[in-house]
Amino acid sequence: MEKKTFLPEFFFQNQIDYIRDNYVIHDEPLVREFDIAAKGMCYFILEMDKLIDHSIDFVSLYKTGTNTTYNAVDCFKNSLTSLLTLFPKDSDFWNRHDHYCKLYFDALYKEKFRSAEKPFLSLEDFKEYAIAKHSLAYIPIIGLDILFSARHNSTLILDIFSHLFLAIQMCDDLDDFDKDLKDNQWTYVHSRVYELMHTEGIEEDPDIEKFHERLLYVSGIGYELMDYAEQELLAAKKKSEDLSLSQLAGWADIVLAHLHRNRELLTT
């Protein structure tokens, strides 16, 4: 597999730029203030995710005098202060903000449970998880919808984001198949391979390197899931173009190019 040429984190950091053409922006300082606050809140939550996931290298950070946990909490304080000036406590923004945050952290807990139990998963299980894992990205849409007039209904933007997140999660799970397996990070893609082994009575051959990942593509499952990701990306691109959101369509193109290069590598 090719090293990722797209980074979901980059999307989160720049998503307001991708969708701002849907709004009548009458106050640039206001949109910048919201952008900074939203990025700060997202940074805090993703750092908490790393704590839960035990993926912070505390030794290296200590040696360099870096305290990302403190930085994240400080960032949260500043972001919350700023957001409270933009949205009163009784604003619907907070109800929907809390909803998406809860959805995100519930997904993390479910992810840990599934990694321990390793159940067979359905495509619907995957969709539910993929949307929840990216649910924080819906918050800026809600904020912009309250602060500015929208050219198109926000449900259309939410729908485009959902297509993108399904594709991004599938690409991630395919790209990181072997790493996730070693890290005990159970995914829908793993489930499909192990279910095939169970159904067909296939036993692992310890002499074959990356046996499960090889089976993923020899069986055709990997290509099937690549096709699924591609269809979601094409849907996101078309719907973005229909709303004249060229930067959002461009992001879909970046992920599509990555997907196509990986398919070429597997078939040559």
Side-chain angles (χ1 to χ4, degrees), residues 142-251:
I142 305 307
L144 288 177
D145 223 43
I146 293 172
L147 293 173
F148 303 104
S149 298
R151 293 188 169 89
H152 304 284
N153 194 291
S154 63
T155 57
L156 299 175
I157 312 297
L158 293 167
D159 180 52
I160 293 171
F161 271 37
S162 294
H163 285 298
L164 285 173
F165 298 153
L166 292 171
I168 288 171
Q169 188 64 54
M170 188 64 79
C171 287
D172 274 348
D173 291 350
L174 288 166
D175 290 350
D176 298 337
F177 182 92
D178 191 56
K179 179 182 181 300
D180 285 343
L181 201 57
K182 290 174 180 175
D183 292 343
N184 194 35
Q185 188 86 0
W186 188 247
T187 69
Y188 169 66
V189 184
H190 296 146
S191 170
R192 288 289 304 274
V193 172
Y194 276 78
E195 188 171 8
L196 174 68
M197 292 174 66
H198 174 76
T199 303
E200 300 297 328
I202 301 171
E203 294 186 5
E204 180 180 357
D205 187 337
D207 295 326
I208 298 178
E209 185 181 7
K210 296 184 179 181
F211 174 85
H212 298 94
E213 189 167 23
R214 288 174 182 267
L215 182 58
L216 170 67
Y217 292 102
V218 169
S219 66
I221 292 173
Y223 298 106
E224 172 199 330
L225 299 183
M226 281 183 162
D227 289 342
Y228 172 83
E230 181 174 24
Q231 291 307 307
E232 293 295 332
L233 289 166
L234 290 172
K237 180 181 177 181
K238 182 182 185 306
K239 291 179 180 182
S240 297
E241 290 172 341
D242 289 346
L243 301 184
S244 299
L245 299 175
S246 58
Q247 291 196 63
L248 200 54
W251 176 260

Side-chain angles (χ1 to χ4, degrees), residues 91-105:
S91 170
D92 187 50
F93 171 82
W94 294 109
N95 292 327
R96 302 182 73 177
H97 172 278
D98 292 348
H99 166 73
Y100 287 123
C101 284
K102 181 71 162 54
L103 201 63
Y104 175 77
F105 281 108

Side-chain angles (χ1 to χ4, degrees), residues 87-133:
F87 306 101
K89 291 181 180 179
D90 59 351
S91 170
D92 187 50
F93 171 82
W94 294 109
N95 292 327
R96 302 182 73 177
H97 172 278
D98 292 348
H99 166 73
Y100 287 123
C101 284
K102 181 71 162 54
L103 201 63
Y104 175 77
F105 281 108
D106 282 349
L108 296 186
Y109 270 59
K110 184 175 285 189
E111 178 183 51
K112 296 303 179 187
F113 172 78
R114 286 175 173 170
S115 292
E117 299 293 321
K118 295 181 172 52
F120 292 147
L121 303 173
S122 68
L123 181 60
E124 289 307 310
D125 290 327
F126 166 79
K127 290 179 179 179
E128 177 188 320
Y129 169 75
I131 295 300
K133 192 68 187 288

